[in-house]
Amino acid sequence: ASLGFGSFAINGFVAAVAVLGFVQGSYSTEVLRGAIQSIPIGQIEAARAYGMSPALEFRRVTLPAMLPLALPGLENLWLIVTKGTALIAVVGYTELTLATRQAAGLTKSYLMFYLVAGAIYLLITLVSQRGFKWIENKVRGKVLLMSSVRGRHGNYSGYTGYCTSKGATDSLTRVLATE
């Protein structure tokens, strides 16, 4: 009863999710922040010149431009958290590595159990990489497709409006092409 608080029990799963969520959330925030900051200012200016609301600007300009940049970093973080789940055994939650260690200790078949656990981790990693590659190809293909399509109101590549950046007209063409 230190500091006047009584003892209380915390569920191991809840503690594991909270810890991994906080740590990975902070890293993910930095990946997304870097991706958003790498968007050329001309694209944002083009959306504002067209009169888009902030929500529409995010959905039509910022999100499609930042996703291809953020996906590789998010994939790395996913693989790190997948392999980092071995640390949650510290809070009392049984996961693959702890279960492997316990089963190997009981049966004395260390090589077999650790090979199977390694194969499971490898399978998770390979499936995750394939999934992220598929998502990345979809996102990159959509962005490339959007930049090469003409708008239904004609080609707006000559429109400069109040935009001051060189890439603003290309950005506006890309935004209008998806209408």
Side-chain angles (χ1 to χ4, degrees):
S2 64
L3 300 174
F5 296 108
S7 63
F8 57 94
I10 297 176
N11 183 351
F13 180 74
V14 172
V17 168
V19 168
L20 290 174
F22 282 129
V23 171
Q24 294 302 315
S26 64
Y27 288 132
S28 298
T29 301
E30 285 302 308
V31 167
L32 294 175
R33 183 189 60 79
I36 289 173
Q37 285 183 334
S38 68
I39 298 172
I41 193 69
Q43 292 184 4
I44 305 298
E45 288 177 357
R48 289 181 183 147
Y50 190 62
M52 289 186 179
S53 68
L56 186 61
E57 174 189 320
F58 180 78
R59 194 185 88 217
R60 302 283 297 276
V61 177
T62 306
L63 191 63
M66 69 160 253
L67 270 180
L69 303 171
L71 279 175
L74 293 175
E75 178 183 3
N76 281 341
L77 291 175
W78 169 254
L79 294 175
I80 289 169
V81 78
T82 300
K83 295 171 183 143
T85 54
L87 298 175
I88 66 174
V90 173
V91 294
Y93 191 73
T94 303
E95 46 69 58
L96 182 60
T97 306
L98 180 61
T100 300
R101 188 178 321 130
Q102 290 172 344
L106 288 174
T107 62
K108 306 297 183 209
S109 299
Y110 289 98
L111 183 63
M112 182 189 69
F113 279 103
Y114 280 107
L115 283 176
V116 170
I120 291 172
Y121 275 123
L122 181 64
L123 182 67
I124 291 170
T125 301
L126 291 175
V127 169
S128 297
Q129 284 182 332
R130 290 276 178 153
F132 271 102
K133 191 67 167 173
W134 180 80
I135 292 169
E136 199 171 327
N137 287 338
K138 284 290 212 185
V139 169
R140 286 187 192 276
K142 190 172 189 178
V143 170
L144 290 175
L145 179 67
M146 285 170 47
S147 66
S148 64
V149 174
R150 290 174 49 133
R152 69 173 178 217
H153 302 293
N155 188 355
Y156 283 88
S157 62
Y159 177 80
T160 56
Y162 296 103
C163 303
T164 58
S165 297
K166 182 177 184 268
T169 56
D170 295 335
S171 302
L172 186 60
T173 302
R174 194 172 313 134
V175 169
L176 292 175
T178 60
E179 281 192 339

